[in-house]
Amino acid sequence: MKRLLITTVLCALSVLTFVHCSGKPPGQQDIALFLPAPEKLKGWEAVGAPQKFRGDDLFVYMNGGAGKYLSHGFKQLIAQEFRSTNKKTITLELFEMGNQSGAQEIFAEKAGKNGRRVAIGDEALLEEYYLNFRKKHFLVTLTGADSEKETVDGLLTIARGVDERI
C-alpha cells in the first residue's frame, strides 16, 4: 500500500514538472487540442488547416471587432471550416479568453437573448444558422451557411465535439 502511494505521488509530480517545464506560458496550450475529434463529426469533416491567431494578430482575422475581444482578455483563436458529405459548410471559431468573466461578457453581448437554449458548455444559444456557447474561459461560435436541418444538426454535433474536448 505504501509503495502504491509513493508511486502515485511520484507520477503526479512528474506530470506537474512536465507541464511546468514545457516552455509554454500558462494558458498558451495548443488550442487545436480543443477541435472535435474526427470520429465525433458524424458526416462532417474539417476542410484545410485551421487558422490560429494570438494577441493583436486577431486584427488580421477580424479588423472591426478585435478590440472588443482584446479588451476582455483575448489570448488566442482557432478558426476551422467543416463540410458535410452534402457540401454544407460550418465555420467554427474557438476563442480562448484570459478568464471566465471575459468569456461571459463577450458571450452575453454576442449571443443576445433570442436563441434557443441548448445543453452545451456552461451556456449555449442556438439561433437560425449559428450557435454560440461558453465553457470556462472559452467562447465558441459556429456559423452555418443556412438554417436547414442538416446544418443545424451539424452545428450541434460540432459544438458537442468541442465541448467534450474543453
Side-chain angles (χ1 to χ4, degrees):
M1 181 70 176
K2 194 174 191 178
R3 180 179 271 188
L4 177 62
L5 180 61
I6 290 170
T7 303
T8 303
V9 169
L10 288 174
C11 286
L13 287 174
S14 67
V15 168
L16 290 173
T17 301
F18 173 78
V19 171
H20 177 70
C21 297
S22 68
K24 291 186 180 182
Q28 291 295 307
Q29 71 270 16
D30 184 2
I31 197 167
L33 296 171
F34 303 111
L35 291 176
E39 64 272 9
K40 299 286 184 172
L41 293 175
K42 301 176 188 171
W44 292 82
E45 66 180 6
V47 178
Q51 295 179 294
K52 297 179 186 178
F53 303 89
R54 288 194 172 163
D56 289 344
D57 290 343
L58 184 61
F59 284 105
V60 173
Y61 183 74
M62 57 168 27
N63 190 22
K68 172 176 58 175
Y69 287 84
L70 289 164
S71 70
H72 284 88
F74 169 79
K75 288 186 157 207
Q76 58 183 334
L77 160 72
I78 190 165
Q80 176 69 61
E81 184 176 335
F82 293 88
R83 185 177 306 132
S84 74
T85 53
N86 292 328
K87 308 298 184 220
K88 300 282 186 183
T89 60
I90 292 175
T91 301
L92 164 71
E93 297 171 323
L94 172 60
F95 297 86
E96 181 179 9
M97 306 301 287
N99 55 52
Q100 188 169 333
S101 65
Q104 286 173 316
E105 290 174 29
I106 296 288
F107 175 83
E109 188 175 319
K110 192 171 186 179
K113 298 181 188 308
N114 296 327
R116 174 174 58 109
R117 294 207 177 278
V118 291
I120 297 174
D122 296 329
E123 57 184 326
L125 289 174
L126 173 65
E127 292 206 42
E128 286 183 58
Y129 56 89
Y130 62 93
L131 185 149
N132 287 290
F133 82 88
R134 179 190 63 76
K135 185 170 184 177
K136 299 179 184 178
H137 62 284
F138 292 94
L139 177 68
V140 182
T141 298
L142 295 112
T143 307
D146 57 51
S147 58
E148 293 180 14
K149 181 177 177 3
E150 179 182 7
T151 302
V152 172
D153 289 347
L155 293 171
L156 293 166
T157 296
I158 296 168
R160 287 182 181 119
V162 172
D163 184 27
E164 285 178 12
R165 291 282 179 104
I166 297 174

